[in-house]
Amino acid sequence: MAFNYPNGQSFDNRSFKQPRVSQGGSQSNRGMSLEADINAANNYYLATGQAVIHKKPTPIQIVNVSYPARSAAKITEAYFRQASTTDYNGIYKGYYIDFDAKETTHKRSFPLNNIHDHQVEHLKSIVTQHGLAFMIIRFSVLKETYVVWADLIFQYWDNKETGRKSIPYEVVVKSGELIAQGINPTTPYLTAVDKLLERREQKGDNLV
Amino acid sequence: MAFNYPNGQSFDNRSFKQPRVSQGGSQSNRGMSLEADINAANNYYLATGQAVIHKKPTPIQIVNVSYPARSAAKITEAYFRQASTTDYNGIYKGYYIDFDAKETTHKRSFPLNNIHDHQVEHLKSIVTQHGLAFMIIRFSVLKETYVVWADLIFQYWDNKETGRKSIPYEVVVKSGELIAQGINPTTPYLTAVDKLLERREQKGDNLV
């Protein structure tokens, strides 16, 4: 059964995110198609036994539930809640992995206001626990998607009060790994993670 | 804001689980208080930097959302969905860990109908990926809570068509580790996981 928004856009509850009040237009999250790509990649990785990675359900605060006779419990009042973690986690090659995926229409930089405090705090706790923490960043106009270590995000995030409020495109390109466009899956992001791991091993650092 | 069920029982949406049609009374899930204990333990482990483990939100299928002017989006029709994973995962000592928590009122055994197919399948995929997969089992009448490796569950699960439909209490006691009752947290289950890991190292197997 398909549901549409009043504007005719289709409503896909599998990848539904809380609509946000625009904070100036182009900076707001537009993760719909990137999310679909990552979910497809995760299904592929699961089916082929390469990794077990799932998107967490959107947290919902349930206020009222009705229990109609002979049919499923129906939630009649509920609200979106703020998540306390990132959207994705799982296991790959024995590593705990944890990440979020962000899309921007900017071409010259990735604005930090795509990211929320709780996501950074969560990723920092994952790094402390020796998990693999990263971010998938899509420059949608450029049609380029990168994986960057969360450490790169922290560098800019921790200096954003006094420094710049975005990560330059060139830094993402240099520090991150481009996800090569694939057929199935279209966005084989673990291949890019593999390359980042190789670089980390070779150079002994987390960022470049 | 507190909400109660018609029977006066308080409704805690943080630990809400889809009510199930009873399948014969005492076998059905009664995870409420165990869930609260585990969530409290997870908060403690997070605050003390020992582990990052979260309960996944209950998956909800959203059908209708209204957007009242000047207030939060309100979900007016939604249904509970079947999860495809277990309830808990995270990272501890660099390990990916993944588990479910089950409570039974039985005293002599843990009935396998507390478990669902998708949970077993998910835990098997985690073992394949070299994660730590386990189950927390509470015998609520006995007031005893154990951690057992998922491998023990598989042994019985894979033979339940021809063999017995429950795991004997004595087997849980012998193969698992009792979670010692604590003060803060009340249910320090990672201590029991540590003991299981020690036994695995010493004896070189996963079960006993």
Side-chain angles (χ1 to χ4, degrees):
Chain A
M1 188 142 53
F3 298 89
N4 292 335
Y5 286 109
N7 66 3
Q9 191 189 349
S10 80
F11 175 78
D12 179 354
N13 67 289
R14 287 166 305 172
S15 62
F16 185 80
K17 286 198 116 174
Q18 177 171 17
R20 294 181 202 284
V21 175
S22 172
Q23 295 166 354
S26 58
Q27 291 87 355
S28 60
N29 283 340
R30 287 203 182 71
M32 290 294 184
S33 64
L34 178 57
E35 241 181 67
D37 288 350
I38 291 173
N39 289 341
N42 288 343
N43 288 340
Y44 173 83
Y45 292 135
L46 182 66
T48 54
Q50 293 178 70
V52 181
I53 301 159
H54 289 277
K55 181 174 187 298
K56 293 189 179 181
T58 305
I60 304 282
Q61 170 136 16
I62 297 166
V63 174
N64 264 311
V65 183
S66 74
Y67 298 96
R70 293 170 207 282
S71 54
K74 177 180 170 182
I75 300 163
T76 57
E77 185 181 358
Y79 299 91
F80 296 98
R81 283 165 56 209
Q82 178 82 336
S84 53
T85 65
T86 52
D87 278 348
Y88 301 90
N89 74 354
I91 182 167
Y92 173 56
K93 292 185 172 175
Y95 292 110
Y96 173 89
I97 72 171
D98 198 300
F99 62 99
D100 243 330
K102 303 286 181 183
E103 210 159 352
T104 181
T105 54
H106 284 229
K107 286 177 275 189
R108 303 306 309 148
S109 69
F110 174 72
L112 292 173
N113 61 6
N114 281 283
I115 307 177
H116 301 284
D117 262 317
H118 71 270
Q119 294 164 337
V120 173
E121 291 313 309
H122 177 71
L123 289 171
K124 284 184 175 178
S125 69
I126 296 307
V127 170
T128 304
Q129 295 290 329
H130 308 293
L132 295 186
F134 54 88
M135 188 81 79
I136 297 180
I137 295 173
R138 174 169 289 176
F139 294 95
S140 52
V141 175
L142 304 176
K143 295 190 169 59
E144 294 177 4
T145 310
Y146 294 85
V147 178
V148 299
W149 290 128
D151 308 69
L152 180 72
I153 307 291
F154 305 158
Q155 279 193 347
Y156 283 84
W157 184 266
D158 293 343
N159 293 303
K160 74 176 158 45
E161 301 311 324
T162 53
R164 57 177 296 158
K165 272 83 180 153
S166 65
I167 306 176
Y169 169 75
E170 293 76 19
V171 171
V172 172
V173 171
K174 184 164 180 286
S175 301
E177 273 291 341
L178 181 69
I179 302 173
Q181 183 76 12
I183 293 170
N184 181 21
T186 57
T187 306
Y189 67 90
L190 289 179
T191 307
V193 171
D194 283 339
K195 289 181 186 164
L196 283 179
L197 284 170
E198 280 170 32
R199 279 159 63 176
R200 178 183 280 191
E201 274 175 32
Q202 285 167 9
K203 303 197 181 175
D205 75 43
N206 294 350
L207 289 176
V208 186
Chain B
M1 188 142 54
F3 298 91
N4 292 335
Y5 285 109
N7 66 4
Q9 191 188 350
S10 80
F11 174 77
D12 180 355
N13 66 289
R14 289 167 305 173
S15 61
F16 185 79
K17 285 199 116 175
Q18 178 171 15
R20 295 181 202 284
V21 175
S22 171
Q23 296 166 352
S26 56
Q27 291 86 355
S28 59
N29 284 339
R30 288 203 181 74
M32 289 295 184
S33 64
L34 177 57
E35 243 181 64
D37 288 351
I38 292 173
N39 289 342
N42 289 343
N43 288 340
Y44 173 83
Y45 292 135
L46 183 65
T48 55
Q50 292 178 71
V52 181
I53 301 158
H54 289 275
K55 181 174 188 297
K56 293 190 179 182
T58 306
I60 305 284
Q61 170 137 16
I62 298 166
V63 175
N64 264 311
V65 183
S66 73
Y67 299 96
R70 293 170 205 281
S71 55
K74 177 179 169 181
I75 299 163
T76 56
E77 185 181 358
Y79 298 92
F80 297 98
R81 283 167 55 209
Q82 178 83 334
S84 54
T85 66
T86 52
D87 278 348
Y88 301 90
N89 75 353
I91 182 168
Y92 173 56
K93 292 184 172 174
Y95 292 108
Y96 173 89
I97 72 172
D98 198 300
F99 63 98
D100 243 330
K102 303 286 181 183
E103 209 159 353
T104 181
T105 54
H106 284 228
K107 287 178 276 188
R108 304 305 311 147
S109 68
F110 174 72
L112 292 173
N113 61 6
N114 281 282
I115 306 177
H116 302 282
D117 263 316
H118 72 270
Q119 294 164 338
V120 173
E121 291 312 309
H122 176 72
L123 288 171
K124 284 184 175 176
S125 69
I126 296 306
V127 170
T128 305
Q129 295 290 326
H130 308 293
L132 295 186
F134 55 87
M135 189 81 79
I136 296 180
I137 296 174
R138 174 169 289 176
F139 294 96
S140 51
V141 175
L142 305 175
K143 294 189 171 60
E144 294 176 5
T145 310
Y146 294 85
V147 178
V148 299
W149 290 128
D151 308 68
L152 180 72
I153 307 291
F154 306 156
Q155 278 193 347
Y156 283 83
W157 183 266
D158 293 342
N159 294 304
K160 74 176 160 40
E161 300 312 324
T162 52
R164 56 178 297 158
K165 272 86 179 150
S166 65
I167 306 177
Y169 168 76
E170 294 76 17
V171 171
V172 172
V173 170
K174 183 164 179 287
S175 300
E177 274 290 341
L178 180 67
I179 302 173
Q181 183 77 9
I183 294 171
N184 181 22
T186 57
T187 306
Y189 67 90
L190 288 179
T191 306
V193 171
D194 283 340
K195 289 181 187 162
L196 283 179
L197 283 170
E198 281 170 31
R199 279 159 62 177
R200 177 183 283 192
E201 273 174 34
Q202 285 166 10
K203 303 198 182 175
D205 75 44
N206 294 349
L207 288 177
V208 187

